[in-house]
Amino acid sequence: MTFMQFKERPSRAKGVIEADRRLLELHLYPGNACNRACDFCTVFGSPQGDGSDYSPELLDAALQTVVLGAQGTIKFYGGEPTLKAKNVIWAIGYLRQQGFQGAIVIYSNGIQAEQLLQILAADPLQTTTASLNYSIATGDGAPQMPLQSLNLLAAHEQAHPESIAIGHPAIVDSGRGVDPFTGAEARPQDSHLCPHCYPVLTAKGQFHACPFAVENQSPHFQLGNAQSDPATVAHNFRAFFDWLDTVHQPYAVTHNLPACTVCWKHLEELPVPNFVESQT
Ligand SMILES: C[S@@+](CC[C@H](N)C(=O)[O-])C[C@H]1O[C@@H](n2cnc3c(N)ncnc32)[C@H](O)[C@@H]1O
Ligand code: SF4
Ligand code: SF4
């Protein structure tokens, strides 16, 4: 069996906000503790990284911010979610118990395949799926995961089609970035266009505008915190997208820079998006 078994997932509508307060998708980020330290990692993942547990209060903030019906999606990433499999399993149970009916996606390097499969199996609605790190699944740009793990995951995908996908091969210039990247040259690395991701709620209670730049503490990304009014977070998310289109992208084009390089190295030259402070 090979990684070719895993399919890429199409991306969904971007920037969707329902009833002025609920985002179609939300990422959850516990910190950058990881069992790898990829030389291109956007979040500086490493065994020395940070890792907090998800709490009921934190998940309550997520539940107030994301679409709760079947269309909603919550994405767990990190760092490596399987390092805290027990807490992730608890968090999925809590989200379901509190009425979240949407999709749950676990971004994982797949090395701890058994823990990853335990996480997928723990969802009472059986709609939790995984997305694997392209480089670690293929061995292009990082040491491949152990074949035993790969075979276990491939067998699961064969038995449960579309339960384990493979991530996008593009490498963006954020965090450790593109300079040290050793994978195939054909992999895209330099778009002027931001992919317009959905934001992140970190386990420390911060709403951050970008999952790729979550370790960048610039004010340009600060949408609010777990105590903020969800309508304020949604407003600030929209303001961030407006800023991407009217300030960030023109700057990237004029200076002939990849989109993520602008966020990583040039933000001090750009005004902060038109954010409002939370009233709560
Ligand atoms: C930061 S990782 C965290 C989850 C897990 N450790 C993993 O590697 O899948 C989440 C996703 O970001 C991707 N990623 C990491 N660095 C990247 C970069 N410089 N450009 C694009 N994607 C990147 C990984 O391939 C992975 O699919
Ligand atoms: S890309 Fe994933 S596996 Fe690699 S260091 Fe970052 S968090 Fe860890
Ligand atoms: S351009 Fe900026 S906001 Fe867009 S993905 Fe890259 S780092 Fe994130």
Side-chain angles (χ1 to χ4, degrees), residues 172-174 193-197 209-213 221 240 243-244 248 259-261 263-264:
V172 304
D173 183 21
S174 193
L193 259 187
C194 168
H196 290 69
C197 308
C210 175
F212 285 127
F221 296 111
F240 183 77
W243 173 87
L244 282 175
H248 175 278
C260 297
T261 306
C263 284
W264 197 245

Side-chain angles (χ1 to χ4, degrees), residues 18 22-24 62-74 95-96 98-103:
E18 275 190 6
R22 290 192 177 273
L23 314 180
L24 190 64
L63 288 159
Q64 289 192 23
T65 313
V66 74
V67 170
L68 296 178
Q71 291 303 310
T73 303
I74 294 180
L95 292 170
R96 294 306 191 203
Q98 301 299 317
F100 178 67
Q101 295 179 308

Side-chain angles (χ1 to χ4, degrees), residues 137-190:
T138 62
D140 172 5
Q144 194 175 35
M145 75 171 87
L147 279 181
Q148 199 185 350
S149 305
L150 194 59
N151 287 339
L152 205 58
L153 297 175
H156 186 86
E157 170 63 11
Q158 197 161 45
H160 308 274
E162 301 191 4
S163 60
I164 303 179
I166 190 163
H168 197 268
I171 290 292
V172 304
D173 183 21
S174 193
R176 293 198 186 106
V178 294
D179 285 345
F181 180 64
T182 55
E185 282 186 15
R187 284 171 61 182
Q189 297 180 32
D190 58 0

Side-chain angles (χ1 to χ4, degrees), residues 18-41:
E18 275 190 6
D20 280 340
R21 60 189 295 131
R22 290 192 177 273
L23 314 180
L24 190 64
E25 295 189 5
L26 182 68
H27 295 86
L28 295 180
Y29 178 73
N32 54 11
C34 191
N35 48 354
R36 280 283 178 92
C38 300
D39 56 13
F40 50 83
C41 182

Side-chain angles (χ1 to χ4, degrees), residues 89 223 247 278:
I89 288 170
L223 305 185
V247 177
S278 181

Side-chain angles (χ1 to χ4, degrees), residues 186-251:
R187 284 171 61 182
Q189 297 180 32
D190 58 0
S191 171
H192 294 315
L193 259 187
C194 168
H196 290 69
C197 308
Y198 282 91
V200 186
L201 176 57
T202 73
K204 291 183 176 152
Q206 170 193 36
F207 279 100
H208 189 291
C210 175
F212 285 127
V214 70
E215 290 292 334
N216 182 334
Q217 291 305 315
S218 153
H220 299 70
F221 296 111
Q222 309 304 327
L223 305 185
N225 59 43
Q227 285 75 46
S228 300
D229 178 354
T232 301
V233 174
H235 170 98
N236 288 345
F237 175 51
R238 194 169 276 144
F240 183 77
F241 268 30
D242 290 344
W243 173 87
L244 282 175
D245 297 341
T246 59
V247 177
H248 175 278
Q249 194 193 335
Y251 184 95

